[in-house]
Amino acid sequence: MATTQTTLNTGLPPQSETDEARRIDGFVVSTALTSLALLAGLIGLEAPIDRVWLLFVGVGLGIALYHAAFGFTAGWRNLVLKRRSGGMRAQMLLLAIATVLFVPVLGFAETLGLTGISGTLAPVGVSLLVGSSLFGFGMQLGGGCGSGTLFTVGAGNLRMMVTLTTFIIGSVIGTMHLPWWLAQPGIDPVDLIAGVGVMPTLVLQLGALGLLAMWFARIERQHHGEVERAILQRPVGPWYTTLLKGGWPLLWGAIALALLNLATLLIAGYPWGITFAFGLWGAKVLQALGVDMAQWAFWTWDYPALALADSVLVNVVSVMDFGLLLGAMLAAGLAGRFNRASRRPLPARSITAAVIGGLSMGYGARLGFGCNIGAMFSGIASASLHGWIWFACAFAGSLAGIRLRPWFGLDQ
Amino acid sequence: MTIQRDYSRIRVLAVLLGLLVLILADHFNSATFALNSGQGGVATSYSQLDSGACAPCGAPCPSED
């Protein structure tokens, strides 16, 4: 757990840090709460109430990600380099909980009276394969995936602000090229629920996730002789202090993320996503600078075109991203660690890695229909084949990124 | 006892204020703001019939055949 936390660029200190340093930062907490109230008020004035709820769901996600230090990037790296599987097993648990929550809801939506909801489904083809591989490569150099980048930025990490900026630039370039990539060979989305039914889907997915978790644990046992209690680790202090100030067991994080993603599905009508907003923000900047975005086919499609013409305050993904940023800021303030990760100077090589990583993730996220959250987490929870393929290809790309990290002076 | 901070309060407030200005500038030029200001016939995110993309991930809808 401690290993995972210190490698996530969250600014979390070693466990030996004194309680004094963990005092709640009143300025950061009050600033985050004031910003949140202001944003919720603005959204409430202009948009239906569901957007306000989604803002608060985003806040919950930001708090959970930060307090549990739930990142995908370090978990993948720890398995490859250190043969430690805690992070990977936590991710399998997250996907298993989400599968149990999502598959029955999506499969019996009409029976349950839930109209207008759908899972995250996307095509399988060259675009997905290239995009997810690029994303996996970029996340190791960038220092975080989609959610990891966002929550560390919210916690004041300066290096990750570089990653986010270039992530946005890469996303916009990706929207320019996506139609060409989609013209390459591929097939329509494969929906397991529609194809084989609810129960077989549950059995298939839970079986696959269980086997993967066992395989990861076996790798760890072979190299270390035992498997770390990373998921079920008890909090260091009283549970209410941990809940407020952080250091959540990964189990808490997995449960919170899965439940909040279900809340997103039920309120918004589709599961949690992050990276569409990055492309949207970049396109809005270009449009403000006089670029005619209608020249790009992607921005003429109904959903992107309307999102571009409309306020970010009514765009679900943007609103949730804002909530996530403020939630992470609030959590970092409660932990007394806001901007802690920026204490050390930023070497030029590290910034170069952040730029390459951000651009790769941004471009890859558009070609691969999302990041670890939108494509992998929400895709697999929705029992879409593209989520599984995204996971496999991103992991393969991640291996290349891990090998390159030392070139940029990044720790392993 | 004072806490040693790792940031400048002014910079944090300046960044947040800058973001707020950008969000408001975008909002005042949006379809939703126009509709709320009384302009008719404006398509907003709430009147959307989504036929070009099926999800916010940007994935296109399945082909018709």
Side-chain angles (χ1 to χ4, degrees), chain A residues 248-342:
Chain A
W248 289 12
L250 288 171
L251 176 66
W252 293 13
I255 293 171
L257 295 179
L259 286 174
L260 289 168
N261 198 351
L262 178 68
T264 306
L265 172 69
L266 296 176
I267 298 171
Y270 41 79
W272 181 23
I274 284 183
T275 57
F276 175 80
F278 296 171
L280 177 63
W281 301 343
K284 279 179 175 288
V285 170
L286 285 183
Q287 189 170 251
L289 293 174
V291 177
D292 180 11
M293 300 309 290
Q295 298 295 318
W296 302 13
F298 178 88
W299 294 106
T300 63
W301 298 350
D302 283 3
Y303 183 89
L306 209 45
L308 189 61
D310 217 336
S311 167
V312 289
L313 296 178
V314 294
N315 178 252
V316 168
V317 190
S318 294
V319 165
M320 290 189 67
D321 282 359
F322 294 149
L324 202 160
L325 283 166
L326 290 175
M329 184 181 180
L330 177 63
L334 289 168
R337 290 166 183 158
F338 183 75
N339 209 31
R340 180 68 52 88
S342 304

Side-chain angles (χ1 to χ4, degrees), chain A residues 4 6 26 33-35 39 43 50 63 94 102 119 131 197 217 222 238 240 248 255 297 318 328 342 411:
Chain A
T4 305
T6 51
L33 289 175
T34 305
S35 304
L39 201 56
I43 296 170
D50 65 340
I63 292 172
L94 169 71
F102 272 60
Q222 281 177 340
Y240 46 87
W248 289 12
I255 293 171
S318 294
S342 304
D411 64 49

Side-chain angles (χ1 to χ4, degrees), chain B:
Chain B
M1 194 183 300
T2 57
I3 301 175
Q4 186 190 351
R5 291 193 177 82
D6 299 304
Y7 59 90
S8 155
R9 288 182 172 188
I10 296 295
R11 280 185 194 167
V12 171
L13 292 175
V15 168
L16 288 172
L17 196 63
L19 289 175
L20 179 65
V21 169
L22 288 175
I23 288 171
L24 285 177
D26 172 65
H27 182 65
F28 291 143
N29 288 297
S30 72
T32 290
F33 184 74
L35 188 72
N36 291 345
S37 301
Q39 187 176 327
V42 178
T44 73
S45 297
Y46 288 96
S47 55
Q48 178 182 37
L49 287 174
D50 191 1
S51 60
C54 277
C57 61
C61 291
S63 53
E64 298 292 329
D65 53 350

Side-chain angles (χ1 to χ4, degrees), chain A residues 28-353:
Chain A
V28 172
V29 169
S30 56
T31 303
L33 289 175
T34 305
S35 304
L36 185 59
L38 192 61
L39 201 56
L42 278 171
I43 296 170
L45 274 174
E46 294 288 336
I49 197 69
D50 65 340
R51 296 300 193 265
V52 180
W53 296 131
L54 289 166
L55 175 74
F56 288 116
V57 170
V59 171
L61 289 164
I63 292 172
L65 285 166
Y66 186 86
H67 272 351
F70 206 106
F72 293 82
T73 311
W76 293 18
R77 194 163 63 242
N78 284 337
L79 180 72
V80 173
L81 295 176
K82 298 173 182 168
R83 301 291 192 262
R84 286 295 184 190
S85 66
M88 292 302 293
R89 284 182 287 117
Q91 290 170 37
M92 297 306 104
L93 177 67
L94 169 71
L95 295 173
I97 298 170
T99 293
V100 170
L101 294 173
F102 272 60
V103 171
V105 168
L106 290 170
F108 301 123
E110 286 186 18
T111 315
L112 296 168
L114 299 168
T115 54
I117 73 164
S118 61
T120 297
L121 302 170
V124 176
V126 173
S127 176
L128 176 68
L129 301 180
V130 173
S132 51
S133 304
L134 264 179
F135 191 95
F137 169 78
M139 65 192 263
Q140 292 299 342
L141 294 184
C145 53
S147 59
T149 298
L150 214 50
F151 88 79
T152 47
V153 165
N157 186 322
L158 290 178
R159 181 183 185 274
M160 296 308 284
M161 288 180 193
V162 177
T163 300
L164 177 60
T165 304
T166 50
F167 203 140
I168 290 170
I169 294 169
S171 293
V172 180
I173 299 171
T175 65
M176 189 198 298
H177 296 166
L178 181 61
W180 183 85
W181 284 103
L182 286 174
Q184 308 311 308
I187 58 170
D188 280 347
V190 177
D191 179 359
L192 290 176
I193 302 172
V196 299
V198 170
M199 279 311 293
T201 299
L202 277 172
V203 171
L204 271 174
Q205 291 223 150
L206 293 178
L209 292 166
L211 286 173
L212 280 173
M214 286 165 60
W215 181 42
F216 298 145
R218 187 174 170 218
I219 291 172
E220 183 173 355
R221 194 175 292 110
Q222 281 177 340
H223 283 81
H224 298 281
E226 42 77 41
V227 177
E228 276 186 337
R229 282 172 56 89
I231 299 172
L232 298 173
Q233 194 176 38
R234 290 185 179 179
V236 177
W239 68 267
Y240 46 87
T241 308
T242 302
L243 190 67
L244 187 69
K245 299 178 92 176
W248 289 12
L250 288 171
L251 176 66
W252 293 13
I255 293 171
L257 295 179
L259 286 174
L260 289 168
N261 198 351
L262 178 68
T264 306
L265 172 69
L266 296 176
I267 298 171
Y270 41 79
W272 181 23
I274 284 183
T275 57
F276 175 80
F278 296 171
L280 177 63
W281 301 343
K284 279 179 175 288
V285 170
L286 285 183
Q287 189 170 251
L289 293 174
V291 177
D292 180 11
M293 300 309 290
Q295 298 295 318
W296 302 13
F298 178 88
W299 294 106
T300 63
W301 298 350
D302 283 3
Y303 183 89
L306 209 45
L308 189 61
D310 217 336
S311 167
V312 289
L313 296 178
V314 294
N315 178 252
V316 168
V317 190
S318 294
V319 165
M320 290 189 67
D321 282 359
F322 294 149
L324 202 160
L325 283 166
L326 290 175
M329 184 181 180
L330 177 63
L334 289 168
R337 290 166 183 158
F338 183 75
N339 209 31
R340 180 68 52 88
S342 304
R343 270 182 175 172
R344 287 178 295 180
L346 272 178
R349 281 193 302 169
S350 175
I351 295 176
T352 305

